[in-house]
Amino acid sequence: LGSWVARPSSSWFPDLRRASPPRAPLPPAPPHHRTMSLSHCSEVVVGGGWSGVYWAWRRLDQPGYDASGLCLLEASGRLGGRTFSVRDLALGGHNFTLDVGAYRFSPDMHLPGDVILKLALPTACYEPGCPSAKKDMPKPFQFNYSAPLRRIIDPATGLPAGYATALEAMAREIAAAGATVTLGAELVGIEPRGGAADGAAAGAPALRIKSAAGGATQTERIEPAVVMLNVPRARLLPLPGVASLLGGRVKSALSCIRFDSPKGAGWKNFSRFHSGNGTTALSKAYLGYESAWWRSPAVNLTEGEYPQNAFFPIATSKGVPIGVRWSDGPVRCAAGAAERGAAGGAERECAGFLEIFYSVSNETLFRSVSRAPVDPLGVATRATAGATLDLVHEALLEAISPLLTARGVKAASLPKPSLLAVGVWTRPDAKEPLGPPVGYTAPTKVYYAPEVSGSLGAACGVSGLSEGEYRLPAPPPPRPG
């Protein structure tokens, strides 16, 4: 759904690319504020994903703005939503950060690209050689950006710092301005105010927020003047009060998920992404090795993908699909050791993670490691799931066997992994529909083809629904006062 907001005037959000002095260095991160009462919150942002954090952060740009009534509430214990930076993963004597969700951007993406540049966060090209972003996606998909894809890095190591770094930086500025940033504050109900009829809420709705502090849990009703909801559809639409707030027709339109597959050779890849039972999750998986063998002189696979486009992985006899991006995962070497040195040396001194899968599929192994749909993250170690790690490692070696054979490398000579980390972002289906059990989902959209479904209304089961109505199905009420 993205967001619903009792929207202020557009003048509240001046162009981020305007000429302005750089922001002062960020203060040390304060602890996230927790309180037993949110009654002081006159402006509330629900959801600590990109849209929610950005919206709150931009409020600070108003001259003379008093942030004491601004509250950013997040139900989980982290900021980011589908941006999920997992830190302090110990491997080979080093700590690593992995992004198991969204992780890269093009400077052409004004959001979030302009935000990351405005915050002066250090970044580096995602791909060696910095190719155009347009070359990254398989046809008929194409990024609408040409600037090379980049990711946020730790300047001390040059390794990924985590995509959530940008959200955390904005949250620090929000808290430093006197606003409330609260984790563990869950939206559990929405109530229209002023006796409004179905779908015609007057002003911002009242919210019911469940939170905990000091060992006690409470549900509080608050009546902010402005509400911005940055909440996934799977969490928002089942909530009490949403139907009366939006109206039945609007709720039906916002519940629509459609993946039509147009006919013709040009749409072959689209069909593989979105047809039928092959798309129950968007998943990412990394194997962690204490010896980064792919960077050794004997193997020397440090750039590109395998197969040619890893979005279309190789089906292995182990039942584990494999699509490798050789340069994606972070690698760290012992102090004073080069990543590539004398044969038999460097591979023992460098540890790191290899991305072995990032695509949509109906595979079950990575999903079994995660806690999807409630929590996309899963981490398996040799101590807790050695057989699983061996199975995935064997699938990887099977998939890349032509590359190893061409280099005269025996698969049995390569070390086994110590860790498997996955992010599994499920898609609603008949077994787990949009709604309970609530959890995180992959981006869910409406792809409809007139030659397949007819009209948009027919595709979504909402009579007479037009594209214009769908784009803005819930016009925000006027700002109170």
Side-chain angles (χ1 to χ4, degrees):
L1 178 59
S3 61
W4 182 95
V5 58
R7 190 170 290 125
S9 68
S10 60
S11 62
W12 284 9
F13 296 91
D15 186 359
L16 185 62
R17 293 166 287 163
R18 67 192 185 283
S20 62
R23 293 176 184 261
L26 295 175
H32 289 293
H33 182 66
R34 295 176 184 269
T35 178
M36 285 299 291
S37 175
L38 300 171
S39 59
H40 67 288
C41 300
S42 58
E43 298 179 353
V44 171
V45 178
V46 180
W50 271 98
S51 295
V53 176
Y54 173 75
W55 195 92
W57 182 66
R58 291 308 302 271
R59 297 292 282 119
L60 307 182
D61 282 341
Q62 298 177 87
Y65 178 67
D66 179 4
S68 62
L70 175 63
C71 295
L72 172 60
L73 311 179
E74 165 58 37
S76 73
R78 64 178 180 85
L79 297 175
R82 214 186 79 78
T83 295
F84 196 162
S85 299
V86 184
R87 298 192 170 92
D88 296 325
L89 284 171
L91 182 71
H94 305 286
N95 286 331
F96 291 89
T97 295
L98 289 180
D99 282 305
V100 296
Y103 62 119
R104 57 187 183 170
F105 73 100
S106 168
D108 289 353
M109 299 176 182
H110 295 305
L111 292 176
D114 287 349
V115 174
I116 294 170
L117 299 178
K118 182 74 173 179
L119 291 168
L121 298 174
T123 67
C125 283
Y126 170 72
E127 295 278 6
C130 301
S132 167
K134 290 184 179 296
K135 297 182 178 180
D136 188 78
M137 295 291 285
K139 293 181 180 180
F141 305 100
Q142 180 175 291
F143 278 133
N144 293 322
Y145 320 104
S146 58
L149 295 171
R150 303 185 70 83
R151 55 185 170 187
I152 302 170
I153 63 167
D154 178 348
T157 64
L159 298 178
Y163 204 33
T165 301
L167 292 103
E168 294 157 355
M170 287 188 284
R172 287 200 299 272
E173 292 194 3
I174 294 166
T180 299
V181 179
T182 299
L183 303 180
E186 180 184 1
L187 176 67
V188 294
I190 301 177
E191 301 175 3
R193 284 192 280 172
D198 182 54
L207 308 176
R208 289 197 175 274
I209 306 294
K210 182 174 71 174
S211 59
T217 300
Q218 71 171 27
T219 299
E220 182 177 5
R221 185 181 189 275
I222 58 176
E223 297 186 355
V226 176
V227 172
M228 194 282 194
L229 299 180
N230 174 218
V231 184
R233 289 190 287 181
R235 289 181 177 267
L236 179 64
L237 294 180
L239 289 178
V242 168
S244 59
L245 176 72
L246 298 178
R249 179 179 175 84
V250 170
K251 184 179 178 183
S252 295
L254 293 179
S255 299
C256 180
I257 299 172
R258 187 78 182 192
F259 292 106
D260 284 349
S261 296
K263 303 187 185 306
W267 292 94
K268 177 182 65 174
N269 287 341
F270 186 87
S271 298
R272 291 175 67 180
F273 261 119
H274 297 296
S275 61
N277 64 0
T279 59
T280 57
L282 170 64
S283 304
K284 183 187 289 191
Y286 292 91
L287 281 175
Y289 291 87
E290 295 190 19
S291 295
W293 51 265
W294 59 97
R295 292 181 179 253
S296 71
V299 180
N300 193 24
L301 288 167
T302 60
E303 299 182 11
E305 306 175 16
Y306 191 78
Q308 184 175 7
N309 195 299
F311 281 109
F312 304 124
I314 296 170
T316 69
S317 65
K318 309 299 180 182
V320 180
I322 297 293
V324 183
R325 291 175 177 81
W326 299 106
S327 63
D328 180 283
V331 173
R332 294 192 69 174
C333 300
E339 286 190 8
R340 300 183 204 142
E347 61 267 32
R348 290 196 301 268
E349 297 172 326
C350 298
F353 286 86
L354 179 64
E355 186 190 281
I356 60 165
F357 187 81
Y358 190 23
S359 188
V360 292
S361 76
N362 62 346
E363 70 80 34
T364 58
L365 187 140
F366 300 139
R367 180 164 182 156
S368 71
V369 174
S370 77
R371 294 182 60 241
V374 176
D375 186 349
L377 177 64
V379 177
T381 66
R382 184 148 294 281
T384 61
T388 297
L389 266 64
D390 288 344
L391 178 66
V392 178
H393 177 66
E394 291 166 7
L396 170 63
L397 297 182
E398 177 186 318
I400 67 170
S401 59
L403 302 181
L404 298 179
T405 299
R407 290 161 172 76
V409 176
K410 295 184 179 299
S413 70
L414 300 179
K416 293 185 176 182
S418 300
L419 189 149
L420 169 66
V422 304
V424 178
W425 306 86
T426 58
R427 282 184 167 157
D429 57 20
K431 182 178 178 182
E432 293 173 349
L434 192 64
V438 297
Y440 293 91
T441 62
T444 51
K445 304 176 182 179
V446 174
Y447 292 101
Y448 91 98
E451 66 271 25
V452 176
S453 295
S455 67
L456 176 60
C460 291
V462 180
S463 177
L465 180 66
S466 67
E467 292 190 19
E469 183 184 3
Y470 179 82
R471 289 191 186 104
L472 190 62
R479 184 185 178 200

